[in-house]
Amino acid sequence: MDIPYTVSARKDTGLYNGKLGLWLFLASEVMLFGGLFSALVLIRVGNAVWPPAGTPELNVALATFNTAVLITSSVTAILSWASLAKKDLGGFKKYMGITIVCGFIFLMAKSFEYYGKLSHGVVPSTNVFMGVYYTMTFLHVLHVIGGLAVMIYLWGPGSKMWHTNPGRFSNRIECTGLYWHFVDLVWIFLFPVLYLL
Amino acid sequence: MSLKSFHIFFVAIATLLSFGFAAWAWKEYQLTYASLPLFYLALGLVGGVGLAVYLIKIPQKYRELSYL
């Protein structure tokens, strides 16, 4: 028996199974990160001086670079899906490959930033700001790693599905793109809150 | 909501961030008169305008993709 609505949308929800599941997952993610952002706001209003005295300066230049990298990766993510809509598997591979490379560049820059902090003894227990910084950015890094794992699979062995079930494969790429956009959106909020304000 | 709709939302937020970054850089420049905030200011303005132009062109660029 075939599972219904894996390719076409169900009439009452307007969504296929994968997209419905993905949006429910993203709703839980909004609550997870929303809780952390709320905690940050409460900690911040409870401190007369923010960041607390003695907090080392964060690397704004590196974070700005990473922001540009993630925005670029979002554009290439939708371009990879658009390539499939044009039946262009080569275009998909190219744009998804660029998205993956952008993800790795982000991780390399982030690990460089972490190394700079940790090698100078700046750890999560340094003060409440650094605790919040490491918690939120590392949770975000874990989400980037998760997204990269899925994209590498779909770029490599997972792309065989294009030849057997192109509609379902295209839906998988859309769901992956939605997740990647969410991860990038979290960074768009993290960047000003932690590095600028 | 499809990836196309979410992409439009994302680019709109990124555009706001870019102009907000430019405003932050201007404030920093007024405090320090250093050259780096001026570079950030230019980056934020150029990035913001570029993203705004891209945002306007998204419906035409991805016309084969659904909004739903």
Side-chain angles (χ1 to χ4, degrees):
Chain A
M1 191 182 98
D2 285 339
I3 299 170
Y5 312 117
T6 55
V7 177
S8 58
R10 192 175 146 133
K11 273 188 183 169
D12 50 359
T13 62
L15 302 168
Y16 54 85
N17 295 344
K19 202 194 280 189
L20 178 65
L22 196 276
W23 275 114
L24 288 173
F25 171 65
L26 290 187
S28 74
E29 291 282 81
V30 167
M31 287 182 259
L32 172 65
F33 281 102
L36 288 170
F37 275 106
S38 303
L40 172 61
V41 170
L42 286 175
I43 291 169
R44 189 167 176 164
V45 296
N47 280 267
V49 181
W50 190 263
T55 303
E57 272 194 29
L58 296 182
N59 195 332
V60 176
L62 205 55
T64 305
F65 171 75
N66 262 347
T67 306
V69 167
L70 284 191
I71 291 173
T72 306
S73 77
S74 286
V75 175
T76 54
I78 193 173
L79 282 169
S80 70
W81 185 49
S83 298
L84 290 182
K86 294 172 188 163
K87 317 280 182 211
D88 177 13
L89 187 65
F92 157 75
K93 290 253 183 186
K94 179 177 80 178
Y95 289 119
M96 185 56 87
I98 296 171
T99 310
I100 292 167
V101 169
C102 285
F104 275 109
I105 291 171
F106 177 87
L107 287 182
M108 279 184 349
K110 203 75 208 146
S111 54
F112 181 75
E113 191 182 347
Y114 280 152
Y115 178 75
K117 297 266 174 299
L118 294 171
S119 61
H120 286 88
V122 181
V123 292
S125 60
T126 299
N127 62 29
V128 69
F129 176 81
M130 292 316 298
V132 168
Y133 163 82
Y134 277 112
T135 303
M136 295 184 85
T137 56
F138 191 67
L139 185 65
H140 179 260
V141 161
L142 289 179
H143 280 76
V144 171
I145 293 170
L148 278 175
V150 172
M151 287 193 293
I152 289 169
Y153 170 74
L154 290 171
W155 182 81
S159 65
K160 284 178 192 162
M161 185 187 254
W162 173 253
H163 304 292
T164 55
N165 196 342
R168 197 169 173 189
F169 181 69
S170 184
N171 286 350
R172 285 185 172 186
I173 298 306
E174 184 188 12
C175 288
T176 308
L178 283 168
Y179 172 79
W180 193 251
H181 271 65
F182 174 79
V183 171
D184 294 352
L185 196 61
V186 168
W187 179 258
I188 292 286
F189 284 101
L190 278 178
F191 173 55
V193 167
L194 291 176
Y195 291 83
L196 305 183
L197 302 176
Chain B
M1 185 193 270
S2 76
L3 177 56
K4 182 179 178 178
S5 305
F6 198 33
H7 187 65
I8 289 170
F9 175 71
F10 173 80
V11 175
I13 297 289
T15 306
L16 291 177
L17 169 83
S18 200
F19 286 124
F21 181 62
W24 169 85
W26 175 245
K27 207 176 135 196
E28 284 291 302
Y29 175 71
Q30 286 182 319
L31 289 173
T32 61
Y33 290 102
S35 55
L36 191 60
L38 270 185
F39 172 70
Y40 287 150
L41 174 66
L43 199 68
L45 289 176
V46 170
V49 170
L51 283 167
V53 170
Y54 174 65
L55 182 65
I56 293 165
K57 289 189 173 178
I58 287 175
Q60 195 188 352
K61 187 170 173 62
Y62 304 112
R63 81 190 100 171
E64 71 278 7
L65 303 177
S66 165
Y67 285 100
L68 298 173

